[in-house]
Short mmCIF file of all heavy atoms in Angstrom, two decimals:
data_model
loop_
_atom_site.label_atom_id
_atom_site.label_comp_id
_atom_site.label_asym_id
_atom_site.label_seq_id
_atom_site.Cartn_x
_atom_site.Cartn_y
_atom_site.Cartn_z
N ILE A 282 0.84 -1.20 0.00
CA ILE A 282 0.00 0.00 0.00
C ILE A 282 0.88 1.25 0.00
O ILE A 282 0.65 2.18 -0.78
CB ILE A 282 -0.94 0.00 1.22
CG1 ILE A 282 -1.94 -1.14 1.11
CG2 ILE A 282 -1.67 1.34 1.37
CD1 ILE A 282 -2.73 -1.40 2.37
N ARG A 283 1.88 1.28 0.84
CA ARG A 283 2.74 2.46 0.95
C ARG A 283 3.49 2.73 -0.36
O ARG A 283 3.68 3.88 -0.74
CB ARG A 283 3.74 2.25 2.09
CG ARG A 283 4.56 3.48 2.41
CD ARG A 283 5.41 3.27 3.65
NE ARG A 283 6.27 2.10 3.52
CZ ARG A 283 7.09 1.67 4.49
NH1 ARG A 283 7.11 2.31 5.65
NH2 ARG A 283 7.84 0.61 4.30
N SER A 284 3.88 1.65 -1.05
CA SER A 284 4.61 1.83 -2.31
C SER A 284 3.72 2.37 -3.41
O SER A 284 4.21 2.97 -4.38
CB SER A 284 5.23 0.50 -2.76
OG SER A 284 4.22 -0.41 -3.17
N ARG A 285 2.40 2.15 -3.28
CA ARG A 285 1.49 2.61 -4.31
C ARG A 285 1.18 4.10 -4.21
O ARG A 285 0.75 4.72 -5.16
CB ARG A 285 0.17 1.83 -4.23
CG ARG A 285 0.31 0.37 -4.55
CD ARG A 285 0.58 0.15 -6.02
NE ARG A 285 -0.55 0.48 -6.85
CZ ARG A 285 -1.46 -0.39 -7.27
NH1 ARG A 285 -1.36 -1.65 -6.90
NH2 ARG A 285 -2.44 -0.01 -8.05
N MET A 286 1.39 4.69 -3.04
CA MET A 286 1.06 6.09 -2.87
C MET A 286 1.97 6.69 -1.82
O MET A 286 1.86 6.39 -0.63
CB MET A 286 -0.41 6.27 -2.48
CG MET A 286 -0.88 7.69 -2.56
SD MET A 286 -2.69 7.79 -2.36
CE MET A 286 -2.92 9.54 -2.57
N ALA A 287 2.88 7.56 -2.28
CA ALA A 287 3.89 8.11 -1.37
C ALA A 287 3.27 8.91 -0.23
O ALA A 287 3.83 9.00 0.85
CB ALA A 287 4.86 8.99 -2.16
N GLY A 288 2.10 9.48 -0.48
CA GLY A 288 1.48 10.33 0.53
C GLY A 288 1.08 9.62 1.80
O GLY A 288 0.83 10.27 2.82
N VAL A 289 1.00 8.29 1.78
CA VAL A 289 0.60 7.56 2.99
C VAL A 289 1.80 7.11 3.81
O VAL A 289 1.64 6.53 4.87
CB VAL A 289 -0.28 6.35 2.64
CG1 VAL A 289 -1.45 6.75 1.78
CG2 VAL A 289 0.54 5.25 1.97
N ALA A 290 3.01 7.39 3.34
CA ALA A 290 4.20 6.90 4.02
C ALA A 290 4.35 7.50 5.42
O ALA A 290 5.01 6.92 6.28
CB ALA A 290 5.44 7.21 3.19
N SER A 291 3.75 8.66 5.66
CA SER A 291 3.89 9.31 6.96
C SER A 291 3.02 8.66 8.03
O SER A 291 3.20 8.93 9.22
CB SER A 291 3.54 10.79 6.85
OG SER A 291 2.19 10.95 6.40
N PHE A 292 2.07 7.82 7.64
CA PHE A 292 1.21 7.16 8.62
C PHE A 292 1.95 5.99 9.27
O PHE A 292 2.76 5.32 8.63
CB PHE A 292 -0.07 6.64 7.96
CG PHE A 292 -0.99 7.73 7.49
CD1 PHE A 292 -1.01 8.11 6.16
CD2 PHE A 292 -1.83 8.37 8.37
CE1 PHE A 292 -1.85 9.11 5.72
CE2 PHE A 292 -2.68 9.37 7.94
CZ PHE A 292 -2.69 9.74 6.62
N LYS A 293 1.64 5.75 10.52
CA LYS A 293 2.27 4.66 11.25
C LYS A 293 1.31 3.48 11.35
O LYS A 293 0.21 3.62 11.87
CB LYS A 293 2.66 5.13 12.64
CG LYS A 293 3.75 6.20 12.64
CD LYS A 293 4.12 6.60 14.05
CE LYS A 293 5.22 7.65 14.04
NZ LYS A 293 5.61 8.06 15.41
N PRO A 294 1.71 2.33 10.85
CA PRO A 294 0.84 1.15 10.94
C PRO A 294 0.88 0.53 12.34
O PRO A 294 1.87 0.67 13.07
CB PRO A 294 1.42 0.20 9.90
CG PRO A 294 2.88 0.54 9.88
CD PRO A 294 2.96 2.02 10.12
N ARG A 295 -0.19 -0.13 12.69
CA ARG A 295 -0.23 -0.89 13.94
C ARG A 295 -0.67 -2.30 13.60
O ARG A 295 -1.66 -2.49 12.90
CB ARG A 295 -1.22 -0.24 14.92
CG ARG A 295 -1.21 -0.90 16.29
CD ARG A 295 -1.99 -0.08 17.30
NE ARG A 295 -3.43 -0.24 17.12
CZ ARG A 295 -4.34 0.46 17.82
NH1 ARG A 295 -3.93 1.38 18.68
NH2 ARG A 295 -5.62 0.26 17.61
N PHE A 296 0.07 -3.29 14.08
CA PHE A 296 -0.22 -4.68 13.78
C PHE A 296 -0.77 -5.34 15.05
O PHE A 296 -0.05 -5.46 16.05
CB PHE A 296 1.04 -5.40 13.30
CG PHE A 296 1.68 -4.75 12.09
CD1 PHE A 296 2.82 -3.99 12.22
CD2 PHE A 296 1.12 -4.90 10.83
CE1 PHE A 296 3.40 -3.37 11.13
CE2 PHE A 296 1.70 -4.29 9.72
CZ PHE A 296 2.84 -3.53 9.87
N ASP A 297 -2.02 -5.73 15.00
CA ASP A 297 -2.68 -6.33 16.16
C ASP A 297 -3.14 -7.74 15.83
O ASP A 297 -3.82 -7.96 14.82
CB ASP A 297 -3.89 -5.50 16.59
CG ASP A 297 -3.51 -4.14 17.14
OD1 ASP A 297 -2.38 -4.02 17.64
OD2 ASP A 297 -4.34 -3.21 17.06
N ALA A 298 -2.80 -8.68 16.70
CA ALA A 298 -3.26 -10.07 16.53
C ALA A 298 -4.75 -10.16 16.82
O ALA A 298 -5.27 -9.51 17.74
CB ALA A 298 -2.49 -10.98 17.46
N VAL A 299 -5.47 -10.93 16.01
CA VAL A 299 -6.90 -11.16 16.22
C VAL A 299 -7.04 -12.26 17.26
O VAL A 299 -6.54 -13.37 17.06
CB VAL A 299 -7.60 -11.56 14.91
CG1 VAL A 299 -9.08 -11.84 15.16
CG2 VAL A 299 -7.42 -10.48 13.86
N PRO A 300 -7.70 -11.98 18.40
CA PRO A 300 -7.81 -12.99 19.45
C PRO A 300 -8.44 -14.29 18.95
O PRO A 300 -9.48 -14.28 18.28
CB PRO A 300 -8.72 -12.31 20.49
CG PRO A 300 -8.53 -10.85 20.26
CD PRO A 300 -8.34 -10.71 18.77
N GLY A 301 -7.80 -15.40 19.22
CA GLY A 301 -8.33 -16.72 18.88
C GLY A 301 -8.20 -17.11 17.43
O GLY A 301 -8.69 -18.17 17.02
N LYS A 302 -7.54 -16.26 16.61
CA LYS A 302 -7.40 -16.57 15.19
C LYS A 302 -5.96 -16.30 14.75
O LYS A 302 -5.30 -15.41 15.29
CB LYS A 302 -8.37 -15.73 14.34
CG LYS A 302 -9.83 -16.03 14.60
CD LYS A 302 -10.72 -15.19 13.68
CE LYS A 302 -12.20 -15.49 13.94
NZ LYS A 302 -13.08 -14.69 13.06
N PRO A 303 -5.47 -17.03 13.74
CA PRO A 303 -4.10 -16.82 13.26
C PRO A 303 -4.02 -15.63 12.28
O PRO A 303 -3.47 -15.76 11.18
CB PRO A 303 -3.77 -18.15 12.58
CG PRO A 303 -5.09 -18.61 12.04
CD PRO A 303 -6.12 -18.18 13.04
N LEU A 304 -4.59 -14.52 12.67
CA LEU A 304 -4.65 -13.36 11.79
C LEU A 304 -4.06 -12.14 12.49
O LEU A 304 -4.08 -12.03 13.72
CB LEU A 304 -6.11 -13.06 11.41
CG LEU A 304 -6.85 -14.13 10.62
CD1 LEU A 304 -8.31 -13.74 10.45
CD2 LEU A 304 -6.20 -14.33 9.25
N VAL A 305 -3.54 -11.22 11.67
CA VAL A 305 -2.99 -9.97 12.19
C VAL A 305 -3.67 -8.82 11.44
O VAL A 305 -3.66 -8.78 10.20
CB VAL A 305 -1.46 -9.90 12.00
CG1 VAL A 305 -0.94 -8.53 12.42
CG2 VAL A 305 -0.78 -11.01 12.78
N ARG A 306 -4.25 -7.91 12.21
CA ARG A 306 -4.89 -6.73 11.63
C ARG A 306 -3.83 -5.66 11.35
O ARG A 306 -2.89 -5.49 12.12
CB ARG A 306 -5.91 -6.12 12.58
CG ARG A 306 -7.10 -6.99 12.92
CD ARG A 306 -8.12 -6.16 13.69
NE ARG A 306 -9.23 -6.98 14.17
CZ ARG A 306 -9.35 -7.43 15.41
NH1 ARG A 306 -8.40 -7.16 16.31
NH2 ARG A 306 -10.40 -8.15 15.75
N VAL A 307 -4.04 -4.95 10.23
CA VAL A 307 -3.21 -3.79 9.94
C VAL A 307 -4.09 -2.56 10.09
O VAL A 307 -5.07 -2.38 9.35
CB VAL A 307 -2.63 -3.83 8.51
CG1 VAL A 307 -1.79 -2.59 8.23
CG2 VAL A 307 -1.81 -5.09 8.30
N GLN A 308 -3.75 -1.72 11.05
CA GLN A 308 -4.48 -0.47 11.25
C GLN A 308 -3.50 0.69 11.13
O GLN A 308 -2.32 0.57 11.48
CB GLN A 308 -5.16 -0.45 12.62
CG GLN A 308 -6.26 -1.49 12.76
CD GLN A 308 -7.02 -1.36 14.07
OE1 GLN A 308 -6.68 -0.54 14.92
NE2 GLN A 308 -8.06 -2.17 14.23
N VAL A 309 -4.02 1.81 10.63
CA VAL A 309 -3.19 2.98 10.39
C VAL A 309 -3.87 4.19 11.01
O VAL A 309 -5.09 4.35 10.90
CB VAL A 309 -2.96 3.22 8.88
CG1 VAL A 309 -2.08 4.43 8.65
CG2 VAL A 309 -2.34 1.99 8.25
N GLY A 310 -3.08 5.04 11.63
CA GLY A 310 -3.65 6.24 12.22
C GLY A 310 -2.77 6.72 13.36
O GLY A 310 -1.68 6.19 13.59
N PRO A 311 -3.24 7.71 14.10
CA PRO A 311 -4.52 8.37 13.87
C PRO A 311 -4.46 9.31 12.66
O PRO A 311 -3.40 9.82 12.34
CB PRO A 311 -4.73 9.18 15.15
CG PRO A 311 -3.33 9.48 15.62
CD PRO A 311 -2.51 8.26 15.26
N VAL A 312 -5.57 9.48 11.99
CA VAL A 312 -5.63 10.42 10.88
C VAL A 312 -6.08 11.78 11.41
O VAL A 312 -6.84 11.86 12.38
CB VAL A 312 -6.59 9.94 9.78
CG1 VAL A 312 -6.03 8.71 9.09
CG2 VAL A 312 -7.97 9.64 10.34
N THR A 313 -5.61 12.82 10.79
CA THR A 313 -5.91 14.16 11.28
C THR A 313 -7.24 14.69 10.79
O THR A 313 -7.85 15.54 11.42
CB THR A 313 -4.80 15.14 10.86
OG1 THR A 313 -4.68 15.12 9.43
CG2 THR A 313 -3.48 14.76 11.48
N ASP A 314 -7.68 14.21 9.63
CA ASP A 314 -8.97 14.67 9.11
C ASP A 314 -9.47 13.66 8.09
O ASP A 314 -8.80 12.69 7.75
CB ASP A 314 -8.87 16.07 8.48
CG ASP A 314 -7.80 16.16 7.40
OD1 ASP A 314 -7.55 15.15 6.71
OD2 ASP A 314 -7.21 17.24 7.24
N ARG A 315 -10.66 13.91 7.59
CA ARG A 315 -11.26 12.96 6.65
C ARG A 315 -10.53 12.92 5.32
O ARG A 315 -10.52 11.90 4.64
CB ARG A 315 -12.72 13.31 6.44
CG ARG A 315 -13.56 12.92 7.62
CD ARG A 315 -15.00 13.26 7.36
NE ARG A 315 -15.59 13.64 8.63
CZ ARG A 315 -16.72 14.26 8.77
NH1 ARG A 315 -17.40 14.58 7.72
NH2 ARG A 315 -17.21 14.55 9.94
N ALA A 316 -9.95 14.06 4.94
CA ALA A 316 -9.21 14.07 3.67
C ALA A 316 -8.08 13.04 3.73
O ALA A 316 -7.83 12.32 2.75
CB ALA A 316 -8.66 15.47 3.40
N ASP A 317 -7.38 12.96 4.86
CA ASP A 317 -6.32 11.97 5.01
C ASP A 317 -6.89 10.55 4.98
O ASP A 317 -6.31 9.64 4.38
CB ASP A 317 -5.58 12.19 6.33
CG ASP A 317 -4.53 13.29 6.24
OD1 ASP A 317 -4.16 13.65 5.10
OD2 ASP A 317 -4.10 13.78 7.29
N ALA A 318 -8.04 10.37 5.65
CA ALA A 318 -8.65 9.04 5.69
C ALA A 318 -9.07 8.61 4.29
O ALA A 318 -8.86 7.45 3.88
CB ALA A 318 -9.85 9.04 6.63
N ILE A 319 -9.66 9.51 3.55
CA ILE A 319 -10.13 9.19 2.20
C ILE A 319 -8.94 8.93 1.28
O ILE A 319 -8.95 8.01 0.45
CB ILE A 319 -11.02 10.32 1.68
CG1 ILE A 319 -12.36 10.30 2.42
CG2 ILE A 319 -11.25 10.20 0.17
CD1 ILE A 319 -13.23 11.51 2.18
#
């Protein structure tokens, strides 16, 4: 995702394990406004 759009490189990802499942969530933020989120 970061390689596809340089503008998102400033966001910090957070990797959280899903309880009871072999999955890891990727979350990014906090965003400062909706324009950043969009």
Side-chain angles (χ1 to χ4, degrees):
I282 294 169
R283 187 173 56 182
S284 70
R285 294 290 291 266
M286 192 170 182
V289 307
S291 60
F292 292 99
K293 294 181 179 180
R295 185 169 77 185
F296 303 104
D297 293 334
V299 178
K302 295 182 180 180
L304 297 174
V305 175
R306 297 189 186 101
V307 179
Q308 294 186 355
V309 181
V312 292
T313 57
D314 55 32
R315 285 181 213 165
D317 279 343
I319 289 170

